[in-house]
């Protein structure tokens, strides 16, 4: 029972935050609300016994990618979303984009209904879905694989990141003169 | 399989040299001259010695880096290309006032990535190696920051390269979905033991991987980036890109397609056949129309990728050995040609238009003669390296019954001779245009002179006494495939 309450709380947080994201005039508020939505999703992953995905969700999406978004928004210095363009564009364009949007939304609803209705019987690419043992996705297993089978790849990644850093410095630094 | 660290020794030597170059730059006071290039040379020579010592032992490190003879042969080729590139670099760095430490560090990291790509036996590691070398080369392309052409070239290369990486990665993902592994041996076993036929999933996996590789070796129609990137980069870097990247990508291409995806050759041979034909023809025909020497050599390198693809399509032992031999012959020749171009560059003008070379014979007979040797070798004249390479490739094609490919290859080689000879004629028989300032006699630094001499000796040696290296190449493919 507490699981269900938590599910509805977190799911509700994700849905409400997502809806608010598109309702904002200020892009920075949108980005911050998106982070809230990701936090909700991350909580759902924990409920699904996938703690690793949950942590990754926070670190990569809420951490790295959202910071990138914020930077871009701030660098572009977009104070408020400019809606003038939409209002000035010809009615025809407006209508076409509305219709395409409505069509896509309709498709999404149909797909969701179909997927939910057949959730029990649906099979994956590799035969019917089975209850995967939770151990597979645990941080422990992934860490073990990362530092044994993939130890070399892990080390090469550090070189890759170093190269990216050197490259960024070379291309972006200001001339000393 | 013996667990040992030995197989990564060449890679470790080059990486250590790259790190040393970075640290040296960090401790350099502004204006101080520091011998960073020799650091790179030492690292590369150490890697070369390690390669020779490892030859024939077949060590495997971490289960993903193979020190087999195939990988070591390509490593040797890459070490030679790296040595020549670093020997040509100081003049360019001095003239363009490039950041020396970063330049050498990135070059050495790129070589490390290439070596890893040639030796890796796991798709994941191949991808990481590909990214290490690509990122370094993107930056090297745009390292002349005050040049708009260089920035444009770098940006184009980066964007298209990122696309191709995505293709490659998706191919790896599908391979994993198909076989549950990214290790080439395992993938090969599963594919061989399974009658997959030619279902959609394996076709997509093979196709996406082929697109990724075809982009890196600049095969038509994935060559769009090459002429711009080659023209915008400094000539030394262009020579490095046109040879090192191609050698590493072809090594991995051959390894992945001929070992792991060998049983699926029914899917990929026709595709590569088409790529080879398109690449040879377009590279040659468009090359004829160029008036910029760097662009011309860019299209020539596209055509050469086509010849290498012919060796792969032949898919026999001779074809694989021919690819290895060709990589060496083409690599040394092309780095040499770009090395000459790099020496001709002056501060106020790049001297890379065809007419800039007019009358080079009068100003610098030595450079003109060396350039002629390299160009004739690229055109496939006997007794130079390029001739033996092409002969070897076309023999492989004929042995496998691909007469059409061999004929197209020979015809395009004949046409390509036209544009190589055009440069030669320009250097020897044409007077500089009246309105244009004559070519100033460039100063050839001792190191660059030695490198040019070495390249020339190798080109003649491979052309006159190729037997030894052909044997080595044949041996090195015999043991692993």
């Amino acid at each position: 029972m507490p699981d269900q309450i938590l599910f509805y709380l977190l799911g509700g947080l994700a849905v409400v935050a997502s809806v608010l994201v598109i309702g904002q005039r200020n892009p920075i508020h949108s980005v911050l609300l998106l982070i809230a939505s990701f936090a909700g999703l991350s909580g759902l992953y924990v409920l699904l016994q996938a703690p690793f995905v949950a942590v990754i969700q926070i670190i990569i999406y809420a951490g790295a990618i959202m910071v990138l978004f914020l930077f871009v928004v701030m660098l572009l210095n977009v104070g408020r979303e400019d809606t003038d363009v939409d209002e000035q564009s010809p009615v025809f364009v407006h209508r076409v984009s509305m219709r395409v949007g409505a069509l896509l939304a309709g498709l999404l609803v149909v797909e969701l209904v179909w997927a939910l209705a057949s959730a029990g019987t649906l099979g994956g690419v590799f035969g019917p879905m089975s209850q995967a043992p939770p151990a597979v996705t645990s941080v422990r297993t992934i860490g073990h694989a990362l530092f044994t089978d993939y130890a070399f790849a892990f080390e090469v990644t550090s070189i890759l990141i170093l190269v990216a850093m050197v490259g960024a410095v070379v291309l972006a630094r200001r001339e000393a003169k | 399989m013996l667990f040992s660290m030995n197989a990564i020794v060449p890679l470790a030597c080059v990486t250590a040299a790259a790190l040393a170059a970075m640290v040296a730059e960090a401790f350099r006071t502004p204006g101080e001259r520091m011998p960073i290039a020799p650091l790179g040379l030492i690292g590369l020579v150490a890697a070369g010695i390690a390669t020779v010592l490892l030859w024939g032992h077949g060590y495997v490190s971490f289960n993903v880096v193979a020190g087999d003879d195939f990988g070591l042969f390509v490593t040797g080729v890459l070490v030679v290309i790296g040595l020549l590139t670093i020997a040509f670099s100081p003049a360019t760095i001095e003239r363009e006032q490039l950041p020396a430490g970063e330049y050498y560090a990135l070059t050495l990291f790129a070589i490390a990535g290439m070596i890893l790509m040639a030796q890796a036996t796991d798709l994941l590691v191949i991808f990481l190696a590909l990214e290490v070398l690509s990122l370094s080369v993107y930056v090297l392309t745009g390292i002349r920051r005050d040049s708009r052409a260089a920035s444009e070239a770098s940006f184009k290369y980066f964007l298209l390269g990122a696309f191709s990486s995505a293709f490659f990665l998706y191919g790896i993902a599908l391979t994993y979905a198909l076989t549950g592994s990214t290790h080439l041996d395992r993938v090969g076993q599963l594919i061989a033991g399974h009658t997959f036929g030619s279902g959609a999933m394996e076709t997509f996996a093979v196709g996406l991987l082929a697109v990724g590789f075809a982009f890196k070796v600049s095969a038509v129609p994935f060559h769009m980036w090459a002429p711009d990137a080659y023209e915008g980069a400094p000539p030394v870097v262009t020579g490095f890109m046109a040879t090192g990247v191609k050698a590493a990508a072809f090594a991995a291409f051959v390894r992945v397609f001929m070992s792991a995806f060998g049983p699926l050759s029914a899917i990929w041979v026709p595709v590569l056949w088409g790529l080879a034909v398109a690449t040879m023809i377009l590279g040659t025909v468009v090359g004829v129309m160029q008036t910029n020497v760097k662009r011309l050599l860019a299209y020539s390198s596209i055509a050469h990728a086509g010849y290498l693809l012919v060796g792969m399509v032949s898919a026999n032992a001779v074809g694989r050995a021919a690819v290895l031999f060709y990589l060496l012959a083409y690599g040394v020749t092309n780095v040499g040609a770009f090395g000459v171009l790099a020496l001709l560059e002056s501060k106020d003008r790049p001297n890379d238009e065809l007419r800039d070379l007019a009358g080079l014979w009068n100003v610098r007979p030595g450079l003109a003669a060396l350039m002629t040797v390299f160009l004739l070798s690229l055109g496939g004249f006997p007794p130079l390296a390029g001739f033996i390479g092409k002969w070897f490739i076309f023999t492989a094609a004929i042995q496998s019954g691909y007469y059409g490919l061999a004929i197209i290859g020979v015809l395009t080689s004949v046409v390509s001779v036209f544009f190589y000879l055009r440069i030669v004629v320009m250097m020897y028989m044409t007077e500089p245009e009246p309105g244009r300032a004559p070519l100033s006699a460039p100063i050839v630094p001792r190191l660059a002179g030695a490198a040019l001499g070495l390249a020339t000796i190798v080109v003649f040696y491979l052309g006159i006494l190729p037997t030894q290296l052909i044997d080595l190449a044949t041996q090195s493919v015999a043991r692993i495939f």
Side-chain angles (χ1 to χ4, degrees):
Chain A
M1 201 56 191
D3 267 16
Q4 275 184 1
I5 297 171
L6 267 178
F7 172 81
Y8 284 115
L9 268 178
L10 291 166
L13 171 67
V15 171
V16 171
S18 303
V19 170
L20 285 176
V21 166
I22 52 174
Q24 297 301 310
R25 275 288 165 95
N26 188 334
I28 296 198
H29 292 170
S30 289
V31 173
L32 293 176
L33 280 164
L34 199 53
I35 295 178
S37 162
F38 283 145
L41 282 182
S42 160
L44 289 181
Y45 288 133
V46 175
L47 287 185
L48 289 170
Q49 297 187 324
F52 184 73
V53 185
V55 172
I56 285 292
Q57 172 86 9
I58 293 287
I59 293 176
I60 294 185
Y61 279 91
I65 294 185
M66 279 302 121
V67 168
L68 212 65
F69 270 21
L70 268 181
F71 263 119
V72 172
V73 168
M74 286 173 176
L75 282 178
L76 290 179
N77 208 3
V78 193
R80 306 188 122 253
E81 193 183 342
D82 224 345
T83 48
D84 296 353
V85 185
D86 280 343
E87 282 152 16
Q88 277 169 8
S89 59
V91 186
F92 171 72
V93 175
H94 205 64
R95 262 192 212 146
V96 168
S97 58
M98 289 276 276
R99 278 185 196 154
V100 173
L103 184 71
L104 288 178
L107 273 177
L108 186 65
V109 169
V110 170
E111 190 187 7
L112 272 177
V113 168
W114 175 77
L116 287 176
S118 53
T121 57
L122 208 60
V125 186
F126 313 101
M129 273 193 237
S130 56
Q131 201 73 44
V136 175
T137 56
S138 82
V139 182
R140 189 194 179 93
T141 331
I142 290 170
H144 193 264
L146 196 60
F147 290 103
T148 53
D149 295 348
Y150 295 100
F152 185 75
F154 184 74
E155 295 300 331
V156 176
T157 312
S158 66
I159 298 279
L160 178 63
I161 293 171
L162 181 63
V163 170
M165 260 162 40
V166 174
V169 169
V170 168
L171 290 182
R173 78 165 163 206
R174 216 167 270 168
E175 288 301 330
K177 280 167 275 177
Chain B
M1 203 178 302
L2 197 68
F3 178 82
S4 100
M5 298 287 238
N6 291 351
I8 63 162
V9 171
L11 178 70
C13 290
V14 180
T15 312
L19 293 173
M22 275 177 61
V23 174
E25 175 71 18
F27 282 99
R28 194 175 66 101
T29 47
E32 186 189 346
R33 296 167 70 90
M34 217 180 228
I36 300 178
L39 270 180
L41 293 180
I42 292 169
L44 285 169
V45 168
I49 293 171
T51 309
V52 173
L53 292 179
L54 290 175
W55 187 268
H57 287 288
Y59 291 115
V60 175
S61 300
F62 297 101
N63 203 16
V64 290
V65 183
D68 52 13
D69 292 353
F70 175 81
L72 290 176
F73 190 97
V74 181
T75 304
V77 173
L78 291 168
V79 165
V80 173
I81 291 172
L83 283 173
L84 293 176
T85 305
I86 288 191
F88 289 134
S89 296
T92 306
I93 291 177
E94 193 94 339
R95 191 176 49 240
E96 305 275 348
Q97 308 218 306
L98 301 177
E102 287 90 338
Y103 175 92
Y104 288 117
L106 286 170
T107 310
L108 290 165
F109 276 131
I111 297 170
M114 290 167 187
I115 291 177
L116 180 58
M117 202 168 164
Q119 293 193 329
T121 57
D122 189 298
L123 285 170
L124 210 58
V125 178
I126 292 179
F127 175 73
L128 286 171
L130 179 73
E131 285 303 289
V132 170
L133 86 86
S134 303
L135 278 182
S136 317
V137 174
Y138 300 148
V139 178
L140 285 174
T141 307
I143 201 160
R144 287 193 291 194
R145 288 179 38 209
D146 45 353
S147 152
R148 287 179 71 100
S151 306
E152 185 198 334
S154 174
F155 195 62
K156 268 186 188 163
Y157 191 16
F158 172 69
L159 277 186
L160 290 173
F163 261 123
S164 80
S165 294
F167 274 106
F168 191 77
L169 210 49
Y170 200 29
I172 296 177
L174 284 179
T175 310
Y176 183 77
L178 204 61
T179 61
S181 174
T182 54
H183 198 279
L184 289 180
D185 292 345
R186 184 96 188 102
V187 171
Q189 282 164 12
L190 282 168
I191 289 180
H194 220 279
T195 43
F196 280 118
S198 54
M201 199 133 141
E202 42 275 22
T203 312
F204 268 110
V206 170
L208 289 168
L209 286 173
V211 170
F213 279 124
F215 178 88
K216 287 295 165 199
V217 303
S218 68
V220 177
F222 308 103
H223 67 289
M224 299 302 185
W225 57 276
D228 288 330
Y230 286 11
E231 192 186 354
V236 188
V237 175
T238 311
F240 181 59
M241 268 174 14
T243 54
V245 175
K246 212 161 268 195
F250 258 109
F253 204 173
V254 169
R255 195 191 283 276
V256 170
F257 275 64
M258 292 195 168
S259 66
F261 290 105
L264 295 177
S265 62
I267 301 178
W268 56 260
V269 163
V271 176
L272 292 196
W273 190 92
L275 283 181
V277 170
T279 309
M280 286 189 290
I281 293 179
L282 191 130
T284 313
V285 172
V286 182
V288 168
M289 295 185 275
Q290 302 305 314
T291 57
N292 179 299
V293 182
K294 267 156 92 188
R295 273 189 104 78
L296 195 156
L297 287 177
Y299 280 103
S300 127
S301 91
I302 292 174
H304 284 281
Y307 303 132
L308 284 158
L309 284 171
V310 172
M312 274 189 73
V313 172
S314 311
N316 52 15
V318 184
R320 290 178 208 123
V323 168
L324 284 185
F325 183 85
Y326 202 94
L327 284 177
L328 177 62
Y330 161 79
V332 174
T333 312
N334 219 16
V335 174
F338 277 106
V340 175
L341 278 186
L343 291 172
L344 290 179
E345 224 182 19
S346 62
K347 205 172 169 74
D348 43 338
R349 62 180 226 226
N351 283 329
D352 57 359
E353 291 295 324
L354 203 50
R355 56 184 177 192
D356 287 330
L357 294 179
L360 181 64
W361 171 251
N362 299 321
V363 189
R364 270 280 172 190
L367 284 181
L370 290 180
M371 188 70 176
T372 311
V373 170
F374 296 135
L375 289 174
L376 293 183
S377 173
L378 284 176
F381 272 82
L384 299 168
F387 168 72
I388 303 289
K390 277 186 184 161
W391 172 77
F392 207 12
I393 291 244
F394 297 144
T395 310
I398 288 171
Q399 279 185 5
S400 299
Y402 291 100
Y403 296 104
L405 276 185
I407 291 169
I408 295 172
V410 171
L411 287 180
T412 50
S413 306
V414 172
V415 176
S416 76
V417 167
F418 165 74
F419 58 74
Y420 296 124
L421 281 184
R422 214 165 125 203
I423 305 180
V424 175
V425 168
M426 206 51 142
M427 290 191 300
Y428 285 88
M429 299 175 196
T430 317
E431 290 298 315
E433 277 172 49
R436 252 177 122 72
L439 206 63
S440 56
I443 305 133
V444 179
R446 211 172 287 163
L447 190 60
L452 279 179
L454 177 74
T456 318
I457 291 169
V458 174
V459 167
F460 272 108
Y461 174 74
L462 292 179
I464 297 169
L465 299 166
T467 340
Q468 230 177 349
L469 272 149
I470 289 183
D471 285 348
L472 272 186
T474 314
Q475 271 173 32
S476 60
V477 292
R479 287 196 204 133
I480 62 157
F481 295 110

